[in-house]
Amino acid sequence: MRVVIAEDLALLRDGLTRLLRDNGFEVVAAVTDADGLMHALTLERPDIAIVDIRLPPTFRDEGVRAALEIREQLPDVAILVVSQYVEPTYAAELLADGRGGVGYLLKDRIMDVADFVDAVRRVADGGTALDPEVVAQLFSHRRAEGP
């Protein structure tokens, strides 16, 4: 299974690369920003992209905007967003098409390597992986908006 990682923190990017390689994945690119991500995806055509929400240069929403672009332009590439933050609007957009092959996990709540590896495989195989906190915030965000 071929993977591209987009993570600006060197230690985390390198750690994810090693963890995935140690568990049988082929990490074909590990980049620091959304431009690098899009270039790597076009060049490598991986099965899955693991993307941080906040990437350079502004560290706001470059990663998740890239994830949405990937869903539209490269629908065969699964997306796993791994972030410290829940962005309910973007999470809802990622899940809106109902296709699967998408996940949203919170970095500080990933407690078990085997669970994370299983989530990567499940998303790459067309399933979903959602942190319960993401689900809770999606529902509370919907309630606040009304029917």
Side-chain angles (χ1 to χ4, degrees), residues 18 20 27 33 48 57 68 73-74 76 82 85 104 117 122-123 135:
R18 290 175 189 217
L20 291 169
V27 178
D33 59 30
I48 185 168
L68 291 168
Q73 293 183 9
L74 301 167
D76 293 337
V82 181
Y85 312 97
Y104 196 131
V117 169
R122 185 170 54 254
V123 171
V135 175

Side-chain angles (χ1 to χ4, degrees), residues 54 91 137 145:
R54 297 182 181 185
Q137 288 201 30
E145 289 180 344

Side-chain angles (χ1 to χ4, degrees), residues 28 42 95-96 122 128 141:
V28 295
T42 302
L95 297 166
R122 185 170 54 254
T128 57
H141 185 72

Side-chain angles (χ1 to χ4, degrees), residues 111-128:
M111 302 297 172
D112 185 80
V113 169
D115 289 345
F116 176 72
V117 169
D118 287 344
V120 174
R121 280 197 178 98
R122 185 170 54 254
V123 171
D125 287 339
T128 57

Side-chain angles (χ1 to χ4, degrees), residues 91-106:
E93 284 185 58
L94 277 171
L95 297 166
D97 63 20
R99 284 192 328 226
V102 66
Y104 196 131
L105 300 176
L106 297 176

